[in-house]
Amino acid sequence: MAIKKLLIANRGEIAVRIINAAKKLHIPTVLACSEIDVDSLAAKIADQIEVLGPARSEHSYLNIPAVIAAAQRCGADAVHPGYGFLAENAIFAQAVVDAGLIFVGPQPETIARMGDKALARSAAQAAGVPVVPGSVGEVWNLDEAQRCASSIGFPLLIKASAGGGGRGIRHAYSSETLTYELPIAQSEAQAAFGHNGVYLERFITNARHIEVQILGDGNKVIHLYERECSLQRRRQKILEEAPSPAITPELRQALCQSAVNLAQSINYLGAGTIEYLVDTDSGEFFFIEMNTRIQVEHPISEMITGVDIVAWMLRIAGGEPLSLDQQQIHINGAALEMRLNAEDPERNFFPCPGTVNELYWPQGEGIRIDSHLYEGYRIPPYYDSLLAKVVIHATNRPKALQLAAQVLGDIRLSGMKTTLPLHQRLLASDFLAAGDFHTNSLESWLTAATVVTEEY
Ligand code: ADP
Ligand code: ADP
Ligand code: MG
């Protein structure tokens, strides 16, 4: 039963992206937004809006009864949760289903299983996918943690099962730090995610973060190859690219096949991402987590494969079988995504919301800008700082890097500090051009770059 009217329970660039995909499929759209977002770009381009409540997310975008009531008021038959907010909340997905609506994403049980990182590790193991050496499930007391740590070895990470967005991860370098850190990790997890369960994982010192995009219809699963997401700050992705410049065709095949096997083992329905760490010292790869939703960096996979992932999410949710075959999906050229955030890289990435004065996005072949900005738009201080994703596609990686530098130089965006200058410096760096980096490289480079500035 195809979707007749779609409620978008999100904001910002992803709300715009989802509305545009729905328009392409001729599905009428309703934006469920907070009071402060009624003049957002997504509100302007949606066919209709429903106000959820006051600006603060707990009163609007995280308010489950308000979202369900909005869907019922406007007669929507489906809800797309976007990313962040309620996107990986199994209770929300269940509430949507219980209200007789379609949840655009996997079944609530799949979210519950794969959204809990400790449970997801067991699902991966059951599907024969290697996981980072660590505890079997959660650890509940210090004795158990110390016993487990002595077999994993130090350094290790204490990770919240319910964590996400780069938060809920603490380091333990020795048995003493584990004693000290375990209770802190547990109480932080309780405060941030409402669940104090944590598990232990070996810390992979030189790792690349490589993830595989998958699409499933509950029956068949395909992959859209990998994304290289090692350039991170505080475990948050800054610049992503597809394909990874650093893996062999054999490793690519192994990663993609293991992602398909895992998704197949849980009869996955919708778009999902399986995240791995590749140990650059040993060449081994390990599952770290699955994201059961659309991801921020999905456009680079769309650029290299030509598949509209968000449109497929809507089609699959409407009951259409996935008609794409794996043999049809090829890697075409190279794509990059640079996240422009309203943050000041000179002041420790301090958030800098403001009003957009001047705005010009370059246009042309291989240039895609996913953004919710318009001239005169006042950026509310309540939400994520993402302003735009500058996505570049070219026939090969050197050309994509070159076009990216040109596009960044041509952008005109004033009214606030952004991470644009950081991307310009990054594009001029040797390690990016060489494709030679791991998950700690960006932070080391930032520290070194700051020291140099201070010396002058
Ligand atoms: P992606 O690879 O899509 O960036 P992230 O895990 O970074 O994946 O999450 C995407 C968005 O959702 C980000 O804006 C992040 O801030 C937010 N997010 C994800 N999980 C959480 C969480 N548990 N708590 C708060 N924000 C989250
Ligand atoms: P989140 O849910 O916050 O996205 P992840 O488990 O995906 O958490 O980890 C986020 C990032 O933290 C990874 O991309 C990687 O940089 C780092 N990380 C996670 N697990 C490990 C590990 N076992 N060893 C080294 N780095 C890790
Ligand atoms: Mg992750």
Side-chain angles (χ1 to χ4, degrees):
M1 181 187 56
I3 295 172
K4 294 190 194 64
K5 192 171 188 179
L6 179 70
L7 187 90
I8 294 98
N10 213 298
R11 64 178 309 283
E13 67 83 22
I14 197 64
V16 173
R17 170 75 187 90
I18 298 164
I19 293 167
N20 286 329
K23 284 184 190 234
K24 180 171 140 182
L25 302 179
H26 309 291
I27 301 171
T29 53
V30 186
L31 180 79
C33 65
S34 71
E35 284 164 8
I36 205 160
D37 279 341
V38 296
D39 63 355
S40 65
L41 182 60
K44 290 180 199 295
I45 66 166
D47 296 311
Q48 211 179 316
I49 65 171
E50 283 289 343
V51 176
L52 294 171
R56 290 173 62 99
S57 350
E58 56 268 39
H59 301 306
S60 48
Y61 298 104
L62 293 173
N63 183 340
I64 297 178
V67 176
I68 304 288
Q72 288 172 329
R73 260 195 322 272
C74 68
D77 62 346
V79 178
H80 196 308
Y83 56 69
F85 298 125
L86 298 170
E88 286 179 285
N89 184 317
I91 295 169
F92 173 63
Q94 188 63 56
V96 170
V97 173
D98 290 346
L101 309 168
I102 298 170
F103 179 77
V104 183
Q107 295 95 336
E109 311 81 70
T110 309
I111 301 178
R113 176 145 195 226
M114 302 312 283
D116 179 298
K117 295 163 103 182
L119 290 179
R121 272 169 63 87
S122 349
Q125 282 175 298
V129 175
V131 301
V132 184
S135 58
V136 180
E138 296 175 335
V139 292
W140 289 103
N141 60 58
L142 201 53
D143 279 352
E144 194 189 347
Q146 293 290 9
R147 227 174 316 134
C148 182
S150 58
S151 68
I152 305 170
F154 290 98
L156 55 77
L157 297 177
I158 311 170
K159 297 173 92 171
S161 307
R167 299 181 312 133
I169 300 180
R170 295 186 74 89
H171 286 257
Y173 299 97
S174 61
S175 131
E176 291 73 44
T177 43
L178 179 60
T179 305
Y180 173 77
E181 293 284 345
L182 185 74
I184 301 178
Q186 287 171 322
S187 55
E188 275 190 358
Q190 180 66 44
F193 313 110
H195 170 62
N196 70 348
V198 298
Y199 62 101
L200 307 183
E201 232 176 57
R202 175 184 295 163
F203 178 71
I204 317 256
T205 316
N206 292 317
R208 280 184 175 261
H209 174 122
I210 298 180
E211 57 186 36
V212 178
Q213 174 71 53
I214 54 127
L215 271 178
D217 63 5
N219 185 22
K220 166 176 161 182
V221 175
I222 62 164
H223 69 79
L224 302 181
Y225 294 97
E226 83 282 1
R227 294 186 286 259
E228 162 74 63
C229 306
S230 303
L231 294 174
Q232 307 177 350
R233 180 179 170 272
R234 296 194 170 166
R235 301 191 191 94
Q236 285 174 348
K237 301 158 187 166
I238 301 282
L239 183 154
E240 303 97 334
E241 56 180 301
S244 169
I247 60 173
T248 60
E250 292 73 33
L251 180 53
R252 168 169 301 122
Q253 175 60 26
L255 283 167
C256 294
Q257 190 56 52
S258 91
V260 168
N261 294 348
L262 173 53
Q264 200 93 63
S265 76
I266 52 172
N267 298 319
Y268 195 78
L269 187 147
T273 298
I274 312 223
E275 297 192 333
Y276 296 94
L277 291 182
V278 175
D279 185 333
T280 56
D281 298 324
S282 70
E284 291 169 283
F285 70 84
F286 307 102
F287 166 90
I288 46 170
E289 67 155 344
M290 175 164 195
N291 292 321
T292 55
R293 55 169 163 86
I294 190 69
Q295 244 174 316
V296 175
E297 59 274 21
H298 75 276
I300 53 176
S301 303
E302 298 188 322
M303 299 303 264
I304 62 158
T305 61
V307 175
D308 184 332
I309 299 171
V310 181
W312 270 109
M313 291 178 87
L314 297 173
R315 289 200 178 105
I316 291 166
E320 198 177 314
L322 183 58
S323 59
L324 297 170
D325 282 323
Q326 193 64 62
Q327 296 86 306
Q328 291 172 259
I329 316 289
H330 302 289
I331 299 179
N332 170 22
L336 301 172
E337 171 184 277
M338 288 147 287
R339 299 192 189 199
L340 298 191
N341 294 328
E343 292 168 5
D344 184 358
E346 301 289 314
R347 287 173 57 222
N348 204 23
F349 294 82
F350 196 75
C352 291
T355 299
V356 180
N357 279 331
E358 186 195 14
L359 181 64
Y360 167 72
W361 297 127
Q363 289 168 11
E365 202 183 323
I367 306 171
R368 165 174 168 182
I369 316 268
D370 281 20
S371 175
H372 57 295
L373 300 189
Y374 59 83
E375 267 180 25
Y377 177 55
R378 194 191 303 171
I379 295 152
Y382 303 95
Y383 313 108
D384 197 271
S385 63
L386 184 67
L387 298 175
K389 305 185 303 202
V390 178
V391 181
I392 300 294
H393 183 218
T395 49
N396 59 41
R397 188 172 188 269
K399 285 188 181 153
L401 290 168
Q402 193 183 17
L403 179 58
Q406 184 189 321
V407 168
L408 290 183
D410 289 344
I411 291 174
R412 292 290 169 267
L413 168 56
S414 63
M416 78 228 64
K417 295 277 186 193
T418 77
T419 51
L420 192 143
L422 167 79
H423 285 290
Q424 287 182 301
R425 279 167 48 210
L426 196 49
L427 282 170
S429 71
D430 292 337
F431 76 95
L432 179 63
D436 179 17
F437 47 78
H438 49 76
T439 53
N440 300 321
S441 302
L442 180 62
E443 286 197 3
S444 314
W445 176 78
L446 280 171
T447 314
T450 312
V451 172
V452 172
T453 325
E454 281 169 3
E455 276 170 6
Y456 276 96

